[in-house]
Amino acid sequence: MDKAVFTSTLVGIVLQTDAAVPMHESLYSQIRDLIVSGKLPRSVRLPSTRTLAEQLGCSRPTVIIAYEHLESEGYLATRQGSGTYVTAVLPEDYLRCGSTAEQDMRAVKEPSVFLSRRGTSLAQIPFLPVESYGTTNTGHPFSPAEPDLSLFPFSTWTAIANRIWKSPRAGLANSDDPAGFVELREAIANYLGIVRGVRCTPDQVVITSGTQHAVDFLARVLLDPGDRVWVEDPTVPHLVQGPLISVGAQPVPIPVDDHGLVVEAAQDIAPDARLAIVTPSNHYPLGVAMSAERRDQLLAWASRARAWVLEDDYDSELCYQGIAPATLYSQDVDERVILVGTFSKVLFRGIRLGYMVLPTKLVPELLVAKRHIGHWTSILTQPTLARFMQEGHFYAHIRRALHVYRERSKVFDDGIRRELGHLFLAKERDRGISAFVEFTEELGQRMSDSHARQCAERAGIEVRAISEYFLGSPTRKGLLLGFGAVPVERILPALLRLGDALSDHREVRKH
Ligand SMILES: Cc1ncc(COP(=O)(O)O)c(C=O)c1O
């Protein structure tokens, strides 16, 4: 099969015919950078030399020489009859883990060198700035994905927790149901039925410690080493890469356009994938909803390929008008979709509570597996959240928060349209607490989005560059801004400051 697995990453490579460096050398160093940075993951198959040469518009020998150079250095390996792959262990691993006696001695004192290959791979995933969500919140506007914590009724929460834990009922403190606390599962099933139109029983609901925990668990029980997984590109890298790499699975980046995941491309790139991880209601970070056609294509593929779909429904509560688009889970007649939700956005990230809704046929085995893995979620918060939901505080909090976020969103959108239209393409949204603002051509010509992020930071504005979310070569240029935690009167002044930081200024590019 001559289908390029990481074509979208590789076609972003730029080869200049008139450059001082020979084309094969430039190609060699660009592919090497993609491998070392993790954008081309380990063990992934590369396009054939002919395909890549056609796509890059260069001669086949140019690609052959570059591949041979990378192979001689241990970055690529050729498997007879099956193609060229990125090696599972890179030359950098040897340098890092060390093979000399002196390094072995040091290794005894530094247990980290005893990590397995998978552990080493995990430890070597590049730490992207995007991963600092919630941990480095500086209080500066516009840190993305930050809910406004001042809206949360901590006193109500604490009063409920005190009531429950002052004298806990028999057995509560020793709860050990791998599915989680039953009343919370009932409250979630009830909530999903009312708010999301999801029909499920509490038996299908399994409590997790958030989305990343769910991805990790599902990767362990549904995937084998080497299995390929469609992941949206762009995506939240740490959410998918860590869990997948730790089970030896291969994340395969699939482009996302204005209609969501490009399912046709995915079928070309990795038709044999075992799992797709998607955010169909509201793609993160681009903020697009998956079209009906793409949803049908995705579900049809999953049925045909007997693959699974992990639907990450991370912020469906935060819909200003009406209700969020229906879940894929509700459309799925073949029980291939697992719905995954989180309380990180609607409550706060540190709560570490979320849930999975499993197809009925998966429930018995997955619960046994969960018990064996010992993936427990603390019982301390579960009954409190159950009561918080049963007594209506959860719904009241969402209503209050939505009112505030809707107003902030409007002020934010007006500010972008009226004051920063020369920098960003205006696009309104009807949900969420973050906004992707795409560069106008003029701004895109003056600077990269990572440079824009640096300029913004110097002006005290915290943003993310959209390029940070791409696993392959970025196809969009823009910033991700969070307005949820910014008081309404601070939004316009902060936008103006951002505008000043990016105006009349050109990035000095190194060639
Ligand atoms: C797309 C997406 N899904 C889910 C989450 C929530 O993850 P968790 O529940 O692990 O906090 C986030 C948080 O940043 C996210 O961006």
Side-chain angles (χ1 to χ4, degrees), residues 93-116:
D93 298 346
Y94 295 113
L95 292 175
R96 215 171 284 210
C97 292
S99 55
T100 65
E102 192 192 326
Q103 281 164 325
D104 284 346
M105 291 285 285
R106 249 191 294 139
V108 177
K109 290 187 213 132
E110 294 169 7
S112 63
V113 301
F114 290 116
L115 294 185
S116 63

Side-chain angles (χ1 to χ4, degrees), residues 207-431:
I207 305 301
T208 66
S209 304
T211 305
Q212 195 167 15
H213 178 203
V215 180
D216 181 68
F217 173 70
L218 293 169
R220 287 171 192 239
V221 290
L222 300 179
L223 299 174
D224 286 316
D227 279 352
R228 299 202 281 170
V229 178
W230 295 355
V231 298
E232 294 170 325
D233 198 22
T235 184
V236 183
H238 72 277
L239 203 65
V240 290
Q241 277 186 315
L244 295 181
I245 289 175
S246 62
V247 297
Q250 280 181 26
V252 180
I254 306 295
V256 173
D257 64 15
D258 288 340
H259 308 281
L261 184 92
V262 185
V263 181
E264 274 182 3
Q267 284 174 301
D268 279 350
I269 296 169
D272 57 346
R274 302 301 315 134
L275 172 71
I277 302 179
V278 287
T279 49
S281 291
N282 187 23
H283 175 264
Y284 196 88
L286 297 181
V288 295
M290 191 183 267
S291 68
E293 192 186 347
R294 294 277 172 81
R295 285 163 169 258
D296 291 345
Q297 288 173 340
L298 181 59
L299 291 174
W301 163 78
S303 293
R304 233 183 6 258
R306 311 215 58 71
W308 301 102
V309 176
L310 190 162
E311 176 174 20
D312 175 2
D313 196 39
Y314 63 97
D315 78 342
S316 52
E317 300 82 9
L318 300 177
C319 216
Y320 314 143
Q321 273 124 28
I323 53 168
T327 58
L328 269 181
Y329 177 90
S330 306
Q331 285 179 260
D332 171 30
V333 288
D334 203 21
E335 292 205 298
R336 308 305 311 178
V337 179
I338 297 152
L339 178 66
V340 170
T342 179
F343 292 96
S344 284
K345 305 270 177 179
V346 70
L347 300 183
F348 49 91
R349 188 171 164 79
I351 195 166
R352 305 315 305 146
L353 279 175
Y355 54 87
M356 305 182 269
V357 181
L358 303 176
T360 328
K361 64 187 178 195
L362 282 183
V363 172
E365 282 176 308
L366 256 56
L367 288 184
V368 175
K370 190 162 182 282
R371 183 179 287 283
H372 285 304
I373 295 172
H375 261 214
W376 306 113
T377 297
S378 166
I379 192 63
L380 266 181
T381 44
Q382 295 186 55
T384 311
L385 179 55
R387 202 64 67 75
F388 191 75
M389 294 176 88
Q390 286 157 356
E391 293 179 6
H393 307 294
F394 182 66
Y395 299 90
H397 169 63
I398 294 177
R399 268 198 309 277
R400 251 193 329 268
L402 273 182
H403 180 75
V404 173
Y405 294 149
R406 187 186 298 119
E407 191 190 2
R408 290 178 184 176
S409 165
K410 188 171 173 333
V411 172
F412 178 88
D413 288 344
D414 285 351
I416 295 276
R417 203 180 46 249
R418 290 207 194 130
E419 306 293 342
L420 304 186
H422 57 298
L423 300 175
F424 305 122
L425 305 173
K427 188 174 146 228
E428 291 176 8
R429 91 205 61 70
D430 60 1
R431 62 191 292 174

Side-chain angles (χ1 to χ4, degrees), residues 1-8 10-11 44-48 51-52 55 67 228 252-253 265 268-270:
M1 206 169 40
D2 199 20
K3 282 183 180 140
V5 173
F6 269 80
T7 307
S8 62
L10 291 167
V11 291
V44 78
R45 185 162 62 89
L46 295 192
S48 69
T51 306
L52 188 59
Q55 279 161 346
Y67 274 19
R228 299 202 281 170
V252 180
D268 279 350
I269 296 169

